[in-house]
């Protein structure tokens, strides 16, 4: 069953045309109408011009008009209007009198400015000046100038009647201040301006005043020059030697030495493996700067922007009547989740690695290698949130395999768990040794999702994976993976990783662009997302719960998703498009007709939390549709995320594994499990708590998964769920398992034909296309009833046998022959 399409974006059918049109005057509809914005903007511009004329005229003729205004109720309107000298008559004089004489004085001229700028933004969709900032400044200067003018008028006007310069408000404020603190009110007025300038314009200091220097002797000048040169040399030395700040946290009081003397790194007196001592060049030890350079987005702003449509050129003639289709108009008032819903953790959660720890680990690594006769030229340390990477360059003639075999010995010397050696580093001429930090950093979800790299990402389905060893934010595109296989032992962060993935998608996509199918056999992990049912979730039409937990319903959902895949491929074939992105671009440009079944297709992401349980209970019934989806569903926007605790070969079979090029592994219990999920070892040496390896295109990256708490997920789902959503969840095609046998074995009773049989037969013969989807779409029937009709048409000899995803062959070519057949059958 297809998803209902918003009335604003579809062509009305004949029945709708026959009904009398109703005009909706509800506020949300009026506010979203572009015509109402133009009309309101024009009204504000007209109002601004009128007020400017009225205020200017009042400044010239206001004193003459006051006598007329005081007697306007005692004389006729025509008589008063003839005596009024204001350019806008009685109304203009009255409004100007209120705003200028009673309220703000001459500062009231700021009101037309605000109205004019607002009207220009609504009409021309551009700002002559920053509207919000200009409005704040104008309102302050109106109040401040009125107060200042009131002080001047009070000091020079003994009568106490006020003036058009200050208005009634400015005059009365100064009278009150004068009675309270005398002439000290002018100090308060000046201080108010001083504070405003500081905070509004961000002034942090004023220019310093240079003082005259005393005369100095030639000797003092020479000594100063020498000391300045020495200071500059010290600064250069400090820049070279001092270790940069590590992760924005620890700053050593005493910088580590960059060049370690040769005497400290020479081999021990005893020779190992008959290695003769030789003179070696000094070992250099450097520490990489891993401070992130990218700016962080404002926490109060949403990190996603509403969908803006395609960027390629369109046919203006085709869009003249309807304009671009906007899928977000289904929920025009939808608000993206804000950063404030995520917890902000204190800075002391950062990883702190002391200079002593770095030097000690470096010395132990060098000593262990030298004990086995291996010398190195340089070593570099890169501090990450979970581990520190020591990159070494071995001396000439040293075999890499020899260093690789010393993994356990280095772990023993460092007394650390989870030593991992990468020999060689991909794309580098170095060998990497990853050593876990004693004090680990907790990577908060807020800290990574608020970065520019994620907020400005142009990926189709951006997912923030975590932080790399060099403290860079790692963002991947699920649409290009195109499917993700996750594994990890119990308690190592796999469920948190799924929550991070779903949170990333919710923060970036509108409900009209993304649908989620959540399968949770454990029944407790994904229940937090129940509240997203009417926004992001998809399910079978007869499903009672938005989160799928029953094994039989999982099988039906997977098969239904295969039907959805076939239907989408048929739509792409009719539209002559190769993938979902091209198809949606054509539909947005109004180049595809909804009357022919075309519709905007959202991305669908299937998330399975525990595959092992499904494989134990369903086996082949689950494996086959998953493998089929993994093979074919990429082009039509259906992507799979499958997770399991047991990455064994009977759970992650070869058929499934071959179609999941992207793998993600948390800590596993054995090297065999690591090879099963990643095709290489290493996952068994991770340190847990979100430490993971991500494999894509044969490249393996070590990451620290962000942490998102249950309370944060609840607040996000509460924020989205409380907004207006669709009437129901996104409906997948109907699918019902048949326990009695295949459809070919069922007998069709033509004596009890469907009441729509004749109409369906005429539809099929007229279009020469025997498909269930055609009957379902044109006759507005459910999938099961349309399937029964196509079976009856086959039994009657109108269409041919089932041929997989292809449409059935229509056996009758002539409408007259069909009418004769129907007459005989009736």
């Amino acid at each position: 069953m297809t998803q209902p399409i918003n009335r604003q974006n579809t062509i009305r059918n004949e029945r709708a045309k026959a009904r009398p049109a109703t005009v909706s005057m509800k506020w949300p509809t009026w506010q979203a109408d572009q015509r109402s914005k133009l009309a309101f903007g024009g009204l504000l511009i007209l109002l601004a011009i009128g007020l400017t004329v009225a205020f200017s005229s009042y400044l010239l003729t206001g004193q003459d008009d006051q006598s007329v205004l005081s007697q306007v109720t005692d004389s006729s309107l025509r008589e008063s209007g003839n005596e009024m000298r204001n350019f806008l008559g009685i109304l203009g004089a009255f409004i100007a009198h209120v705003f200028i004489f009673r309220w703000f004085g001459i500062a009231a001229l700021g009101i037309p400015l605000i109205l004019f700028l607002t009207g220009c933004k609504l009409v021309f969709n551009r700002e002559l000046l920053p509207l919000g900032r200009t409005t704040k400044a104008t309102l302050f200067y109106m109040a401040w100038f009125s107060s200042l003018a009131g002080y001047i008028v009070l000091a020079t006007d003994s009568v106490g009647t006020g003036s058009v310069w200050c208005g009634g408000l400015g005059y009365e404020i100064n009278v009150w201040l004068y009675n309270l603190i005398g002439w000290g009110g002018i100090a308060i007025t000046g201080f108010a301006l001083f504070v405003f300038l500081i905070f509004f314009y961000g002034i942090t200091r004023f220019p310093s005043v240079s003082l005259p220097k005393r005369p100095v002797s030639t000797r003092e000048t020479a000594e100063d020059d020498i000391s300045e040169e020495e200071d500059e040399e010290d600064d250069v030395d400090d820049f070279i030697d001092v270790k940069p700040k590590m992760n924005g946290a620890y700053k050593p009081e005493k910088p580590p030495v960059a060049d370690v003397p040769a005497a400290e790194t020479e081999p021990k007196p005893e020779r190992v493996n008959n290695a003769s001592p030789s003179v070696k060049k000094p070992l250099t030890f450097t520490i990489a700067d891993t401070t992130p350079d990218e700016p962080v987005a404002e926490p109060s702003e949403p990190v996603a922007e509403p969908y803006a449509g395609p960027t390629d050129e369109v046919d203006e003639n085709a869009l003249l009547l309807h304009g671009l289709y906007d899928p977000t108009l289904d929920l025009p008032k939808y608000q993206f989740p804000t950063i404030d819903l995520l917890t902000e953790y204190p800075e002391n959660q950062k990883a702190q690695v002391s200079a002593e720890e770095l030097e000690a680990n470096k010395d132990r690594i060098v000593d262990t290698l030298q004990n086995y006769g291996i010398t190195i030229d340089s070593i570099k340390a890169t501090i990450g949130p979970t581990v520190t990477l020591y990159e070494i360059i071995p001396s000439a003639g040293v075999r890499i395999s020899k260093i690789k075999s010393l993994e356990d010995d280095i772990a023993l010397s460092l007394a650390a768990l989870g030593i991992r050696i990468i020999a060689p580093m991909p794309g580098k001429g170095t060998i990497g040794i990853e050593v876990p930090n004693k004090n680990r950093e907790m990577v908060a979800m807020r800290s990574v999702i608020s970065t520019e790299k994620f907020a400005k990402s142009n990926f189709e389905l951006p997912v923030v994976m975590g932080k790399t060893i060099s403290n860079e934010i790692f963002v991947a595109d699920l649409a290009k993976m195109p499917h993700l296989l996750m594994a990890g032992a119990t308690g190592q962060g796999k469920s948190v990783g799924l929550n991070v993935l779903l949170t990333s998608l919710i923060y970036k996509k509108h409900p009209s662009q993304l649908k989620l199918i959540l399968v949770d056999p454990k029944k407790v992990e994904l229940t937090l997302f129940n509240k997203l049912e009417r926004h992001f979730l998809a399910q079978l039409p007869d499903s009672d719960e938005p989160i799928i937990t029953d094994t039989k319903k999982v099988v039906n959902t997977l098969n239904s998703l295969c039907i959805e895949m076939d239907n989408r491929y048929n739509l792409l074939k009719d539209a002559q498009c190769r993938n979902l992105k091209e198809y949606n671009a054509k539909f947005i440009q109004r180049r595809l007709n909804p009357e022919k079944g075309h519709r905007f297709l959202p991305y669908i992401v299937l998330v399975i939390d525990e595959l092992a349980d499904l494989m134990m209970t369903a086996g082949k019934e689950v494996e086959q549709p998953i493998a089929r989806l993994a093979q074919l569903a990429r082009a039509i926007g259906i992507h799979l995320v499958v997770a399991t605790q047991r990455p064994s070969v009977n759970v992650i079979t070869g058929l499934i594994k071959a179609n999941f090029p992207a793998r993600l592994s948390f800590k596993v219990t054995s090297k065999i499990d690591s090879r099963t999920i990643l095709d290489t070892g290493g996952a068994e040496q991770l340190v847990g708590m979100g430490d993971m390896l991500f494999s894509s295109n044969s490249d393996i990256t070590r990451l620290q998964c962000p942490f998102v708490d249950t309370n944060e997920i609840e607040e996000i789902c509460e924020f989205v769920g409380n907004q207006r959503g669709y009437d129901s969840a996104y409906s997948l095609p109907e699918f019902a398992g048949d326990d009695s046998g295949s459809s070919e074995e069922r007998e069709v009773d033509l004596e009890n034909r469907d009441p729509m049989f004749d109409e369906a037969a005429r539809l099929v013969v007229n279009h020469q296309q025997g498909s269930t989807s055609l009957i379902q779409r044109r006759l507005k029937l459910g999938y099961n009833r349309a399937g029964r009709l196509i079976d009856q048409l086959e039994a009657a000899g109108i269409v041919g046998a089932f041929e997989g995803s292809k449409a059935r062959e229509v056996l009758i070519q002539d409408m007259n022959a069909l009418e004769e057949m129907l007459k005989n059958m009736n």
Side-chain angles (χ1 to χ4, degrees):
M1 182 179 296
T2 58
Q3 184 74 4
I5 301 178
N6 193 286
R7 179 174 298 180
Q8 300 180 35
N9 298 312
T10 56
I11 301 174
R12 297 178 179 176
N13 54 29
E14 298 298 329
R15 184 178 300 177
K17 291 180 180 179
R19 293 197 300 264
T22 59
V23 180
S24 176
M25 295 301 293
K26 294 182 179 179
W27 169 251
T29 305
W30 181 88
Q31 190 181 17
D33 192 354
Q34 187 63 29
R35 296 170 298 180
S36 59
K37 290 184 178 180
L38 292 176
F40 186 63
L43 176 62
L44 292 180
I45 294 176
L46 181 63
L47 212 64
I49 297 174
L51 289 179
T52 303
V53 173
F55 291 174
S56 302
S57 179
Y58 182 82
L59 295 177
L60 300 175
T61 63
Q63 293 182 353
D64 298 333
D65 290 340
Q66 284 190 15
S67 60
V68 182
L69 284 175
S70 61
Q71 300 177 1
V72 70
T73 57
D74 299 333
S75 57
S76 63
L77 181 63
R78 183 171 183 177
E79 182 180 352
S80 299
N82 291 333
E83 297 180 5
M84 194 67 62
R85 299 182 59 187
N86 193 288
F87 292 156
L88 292 186
I90 298 176
L91 183 60
F94 177 76
I95 295 176
H97 179 75
V98 171
F99 276 92
I100 295 179
F101 189 82
R102 294 185 181 178
W103 289 354
F104 302 106
I106 197 174
L109 288 171
I111 294 177
L113 174 63
I114 297 175
L115 296 178
F116 182 77
L117 293 177
T118 307
C120 287
K121 182 177 181 180
L122 293 176
V123 174
F124 304 107
N125 198 23
R126 59 178 300 180
E127 295 182 352
L128 302 178
L129 294 172
L131 182 58
R133 190 173 178 84
T134 304
T135 301
K136 294 176 183 177
T138 302
L139 293 177
F140 173 80
Y141 287 129
M142 286 172 57
W144 183 83
F145 185 82
S146 176
S147 178
L148 178 65
Y151 172 81
I152 298 173
V153 170
L154 183 63
T156 58
D157 185 8
S158 60
V159 180
T161 57
S163 171
V164 295
W165 293 100
C166 62
L169 290 178
Y171 187 83
E172 293 298 331
I173 289 175
N174 278 275
V175 170
W176 180 80
L177 287 175
Y178 178 77
N179 293 329
L180 183 64
I181 57 176
W183 295 113
I186 187 61
I188 293 180
T189 304
F191 181 72
L193 178 63
F194 177 76
V195 173
F196 176 79
L197 293 177
I198 288 177
F199 285 93
F200 190 77
Y201 296 102
I203 299 175
T204 57
R205 63 178 180 177
F206 292 96
S208 59
V209 180
S210 59
L211 298 176
K213 298 182 179 179
R214 66 176 180 88
V216 294
S217 64
T218 307
R219 181 177 180 180
E220 291 177 335
T221 306
E223 291 177 354
D224 291 342
D225 293 339
I226 294 174
S227 63
E228 288 179 2
E229 292 177 0
E230 292 176 351
D231 291 341
E232 291 178 359
E233 292 178 358
D234 292 339
D235 292 341
V236 174
D237 294 338
D238 292 342
F239 180 78
I240 295 174
D241 294 340
V242 175
K243 178 183 66 175
K245 63 177 182 178
M246 293 167 291
N247 208 18
Y250 173 78
K251 293 183 179 179
E253 297 178 358
K254 181 179 180 181
V257 180
D259 295 331
V260 180
E264 295 183 8
T265 58
E266 289 180 354
K268 296 188 186 256
E270 62 270 18
R271 292 191 296 271
V272 182
N273 296 338
N274 299 325
S276 58
S278 59
V279 179
K280 305 172 185 62
K281 59 183 179 180
L283 171 66
T284 58
F285 178 44
T286 58
I287 301 154
D289 185 5
T290 57
T291 304
D293 295 330
E294 58 177 324
V296 180
E298 289 294 333
S300 60
E301 296 291 333
V303 300
E305 296 180 356
Y307 186 74
T311 57
D312 23 352
E313 297 181 359
V314 297
D315 185 3
E316 295 294 339
N317 294 330
L319 301 177
L320 185 60
L321 182 60
H322 301 290
L324 284 175
Y325 174 89
D326 186 359
T328 62
L329 289 181
D330 292 346
L331 299 176
K333 297 299 182 181
Y334 176 79
Q335 297 292 326
F336 286 89
T338 60
I339 299 296
D340 298 332
L341 301 174
L342 299 173
T343 304
E344 184 175 9
Y345 292 93
E347 290 294 325
N348 56 12
Q349 299 285 346
K350 299 287 184 182
Q352 298 184 9
V353 182
S354 64
E356 291 76 11
E357 182 180 349
L358 287 173
E359 286 289 339
N361 288 339
K362 182 265 298 182
D363 292 338
R364 292 189 184 105
I365 292 174
V366 172
D367 291 343
T368 303
L369 295 177
Q370 287 178 351
N371 287 338
Y372 291 89
I374 300 174
T375 57
I376 59 178
D377 293 337
S378 67
I379 180 169
K380 175 183 176 182
T382 304
I383 303 170
T386 306
V387 298
T388 297
L389 173 65
Y390 294 87
E391 294 184 65
I392 62 175
I393 299 179
S395 301
V398 176
R399 299 179 61 183
I400 296 178
S401 59
K402 192 175 182 180
I403 299 178
K404 180 69 174 176
S405 64
L406 299 177
E407 192 169 67
D408 295 336
D409 297 278
I410 296 176
L412 178 63
S413 66
L414 295 174
L417 178 66
I419 299 295
R420 179 169 171 260
I421 294 182
I422 310 170
M425 292 284 292
K428 299 180 180 180
T430 60
I431 296 174
I433 302 176
E434 294 176 347
V435 181
N437 299 330
K438 293 181 180 179
N439 299 318
R440 299 176 52 184
E441 172 187 350
M442 187 193 71
V443 180
M445 188 66 182
R446 175 168 179 158
S447 66
V448 294
I449 211 170
S450 61
T451 57
E452 292 288 339
K453 189 168 186 179
F454 179 77
K456 302 299 182 182
S457 172
N458 57 359
F459 291 154
E460 293 295 319
L461 295 174
V463 176
V464 57
M465 308 294 293
K467 275 189 178 181
T468 63
I469 291 179
S470 58
N471 278 308
E472 295 179 359
I473 306 301
F474 190 90
V475 180
D477 189 1
L478 181 60
K480 292 182 179 179
M481 289 186 188
H483 311 293
L484 179 62
L485 192 60
M486 298 176 61
T490 303
Q492 303 303 320
K494 178 172 54 63
S495 297
V496 175
L498 287 177
N499 290 339
V500 168
L501 183 143
L502 293 173
T503 302
S504 302
L505 295 176
I506 293 171
Y507 263 88
K508 287 292 288 185
K509 306 303 291 185
H510 190 274
S512 62
Q513 304 161 7
L514 172 68
K515 299 301 173 184
L516 303 173
I517 302 175
L518 305 182
V519 177
D520 184 14
K522 293 185 288 188
K523 304 181 181 180
V524 294
E525 296 294 345
L526 300 177
T527 53
L528 297 175
F529 296 93
N530 274 329
K531 298 178 181 179
L532 305 181
E533 177 180 2
R534 295 184 299 109
H535 294 85
F536 285 101
L537 299 189
Q539 60 187 21
L540 293 173
D542 58 347
S543 180
D544 298 330
E545 299 180 353
I547 310 299
I548 306 168
T549 57
D550 183 68
T551 303
K552 184 177 179 180
K553 289 186 177 181
V554 172
V555 175
N556 292 344
T557 301
L558 292 175
N559 286 281
S560 173
L561 203 54
C562 291
I563 297 173
E564 174 75 12
M565 178 182 68
D566 294 334
N567 293 341
R568 289 191 172 199
Y569 268 117
N570 289 332
L571 293 177
L572 262 64
K573 176 184 175 183
D574 295 340
Q576 297 181 351
C577 298
R578 296 181 300 173
N579 52 54
L580 181 77
K581 189 174 182 180
E582 294 180 4
Y583 177 87
N584 281 340
K586 271 192 174 182
F587 189 84
I588 288 171
Q589 296 164 6
R590 303 284 184 179
R591 295 164 62 185
L592 300 176
N593 191 352
E595 285 293 322
K596 296 183 179 179
H598 293 291
R599 64 187 189 279
F600 182 84
L601 300 178
Y603 284 96
I604 297 179
V605 177
L606 170 65
V607 178
I608 300 178
D609 186 31
E610 184 50 68
L611 180 63
D613 183 74
L614 298 179
M615 295 296 291
M616 288 177 59
T617 55
K620 292 294 182 181
E621 294 181 282
V622 171
E623 180 186 8
Q624 291 180 356
I626 289 180
R628 187 163 183 262
L629 289 170
Q631 290 170 351
L632 302 175
R634 171 182 182 177
I636 43 84
I638 298 178
H639 304 280
L640 279 63
V641 178
V642 179
T644 181
Q645 293 179 357
R646 291 171 30 210
S648 55
V649 292
N650 59 343
V651 175
I652 305 178
T653 63
L655 191 61
I656 294 178
K657 183 178 176 181
N659 296 288
F660 282 81
R663 322 274 177 79
L664 183 64
S665 178
F666 295 88
K667 182 178 175 61
V668 293
T669 56
S670 67
K671 184 176 292 187
I672 297 177
D673 289 347
S674 177
R675 292 186 178 277
T676 302
I677 183 69
L678 296 176
D679 294 329
T680 186
E684 77 282 358
Q685 296 173 330
L686 299 175
V687 295
M689 299 294 291
D691 189 19
M692 63 186 185
L693 295 176
F694 177 67
S695 173
S696 178
N697 299 324
S698 301
D699 295 333
I700 296 182
T701 306
R702 189 166 188 172
L703 302 168
Q704 175 62 40
C705 179
F707 176 74
V708 56
D709 197 6
T710 302
N711 296 332
E712 299 175 71
I713 298 294
E714 288 179 349
E715 290 190 14
I716 295 172
C717 295
E718 191 80 23
F719 179 85
V720 175
N722 288 338
Q723 301 185 51
R724 177 183 176 272
Y726 297 98
D727 295 335
S728 61
Y730 184 88
S731 295
L732 297 173
E734 293 184 14
F735 180 86
D738 185 12
D739 299 331
S740 61
S742 62
S743 58
E744 289 81 359
E745 299 174 355
R746 295 199 302 259
E747 295 183 359
V748 178
D749 185 10
L750 291 179
E751 297 297 329
N752 297 320
R753 297 189 300 276
D754 192 282
M756 302 288 289
F757 177 84
D758 293 359
E759 191 171 352
R762 296 187 183 97
L763 177 66
V764 167
V765 174
N766 186 35
H767 286 78
Q768 287 296 301
Q769 181 182 354
S771 67
T772 305
S773 60
L774 176 66
I775 297 175
Q776 179 186 1
R777 185 172 64 249
R778 299 303 295 270
L779 299 183
K780 296 180 176 57
L781 303 177
Y783 184 83
N784 289 340
R785 186 177 180 184
R788 289 192 297 268
L789 275 171
I790 206 72
D791 290 339
Q792 293 176 4
L793 292 175
E794 178 187 356
I798 299 176
V799 298
F802 177 71
E803 299 181 8
S805 60
K806 295 182 179 180
R808 296 173 183 251
E809 180 185 1
V810 180
L811 303 178
I812 297 179
Q813 309 295 327
D814 186 16
M815 289 295 296
N816 294 329
L818 174 65
E819 293 296 338
E820 186 67 25
M821 174 185 288
L822 295 178
K823 181 178 180 181
N824 294 333
M825 292 179 66
N826 294 330

